[in-house]
Amino acid sequence: MRKLLLACFLLPSVSTYALEFNTEEMLATHNHWRKLVDVPALNYSPELAASSQQWAEHLKQSNRCRMKHSQPDSKYGENLYWASAIKWSDGKRELQHVAAKNVVDSWASERSNYDYKLNNCTPGKMCGHYTQIVWRSTTLVGCGAAICEDTKEQVWVCRYQAPGNWIGERPY
């Protein structure tokens, strides 16, 4: 039985616009990173997107937009992203603008932590989001996002089929 490694990523950023979620931008950014390592482009899956949106809404309702992986049972891979609110000195919280490209690029920034020759992450660093993005046998991606209105925080979910990050296997 192959073991699946899941990873989470926290990255607050700063901006002052409303949430923007562009599926074409999301797919294009995934495929940009895949092209760099010469693996086939992904297709966008409405089914995975619906499933990702459902999980993002679950995290909003039951976990106050805090990240927690679902239990994929090796059916799909999953990347999570969290964004904080912009906090003003008077205590006001404002929703920050997070573009789909920024979400994928934040995961892909782990590329510098991945050693292909050794097939592992730099000790103490994460690279599982990146390797899931570029996993050769993955063909589909679908994503969703939710906003916790009271805290102005966001949680993003992307799911991948077939899943990647099988321990001992190379992504490409």
Side-chain angles (χ1 to χ4, degrees):
M1 180 176 176
R2 299 186 299 177
K3 294 183 181 177
L4 184 63
L5 174 68
L6 298 174
C8 298
F9 193 87
L10 273 109
L11 181 68
S13 59
V14 291
S15 187
T16 58
Y17 302 97
L19 175 65
E20 174 185 306
F21 182 67
N22 182 321
T23 58
E24 291 174 6
E25 179 182 54
M26 181 70 75
L27 181 62
T29 307
H30 273 87
N31 286 331
H32 162 78
W33 290 102
R34 292 175 67 83
K35 186 175 183 177
L36 293 177
V37 293
D38 198 30
V39 295
L42 297 175
N43 291 306
Y44 203 77
S45 165
E47 294 80 15
L48 286 174
S51 174
S52 295
Q53 185 62 43
Q54 184 178 33
W55 187 249
E57 292 295 330
H58 170 80
L59 293 175
K60 170 186 173 178
Q61 298 298 326
S62 67
N63 215 34
R64 299 202 60 206
C65 284
R66 298 292 181 234
M67 294 187 303
K68 179 182 177 185
H69 278 289
S70 64
Q71 301 298 317
D73 297 327
S74 302
K75 293 184 285 192
Y76 49 80
E78 186 173 73
N79 279 347
L80 303 177
Y81 177 94
W82 174 84
S84 67
I86 297 168
K87 299 173 189 170
W88 298 96
S89 60
D90 64 1
K92 179 183 169 195
R93 298 170 72 89
E94 186 176 315
L95 183 68
Q96 68 170 294
H97 171 72
V98 178
K101 180 183 185 323
N102 299 120
V103 172
V104 179
D105 284 347
S106 72
W107 293 326
S109 71
E110 296 174 359
R111 179 182 186 182
S112 62
N113 300 332
Y114 178 65
D115 184 328
Y116 183 83
K117 184 177 178 181
L118 298 175
N119 192 31
N120 64 18
C121 299
T122 302
K125 302 285 186 173
M126 294 175 71
C127 67
H129 298 100
Y130 167 70
T131 54
Q132 175 58 82
I133 289 170
V134 298
W135 202 265
R136 179 177 296 280
S137 62
T138 298
T139 59
L140 299 171
V141 64
C143 305
I147 301 167
C148 284
E149 290 86 4
D150 58 336
T151 63
K152 305 294 191 242
E153 295 173 346
Q154 307 168 40
V155 63
W156 293 65
V157 178
C158 284
R159 290 185 170 171
Y160 304 84
Q161 274 185 338
N165 290 339
W166 296 103
I167 295 171
E169 293 184 25
R170 293 187 186 278
Y172 50 89

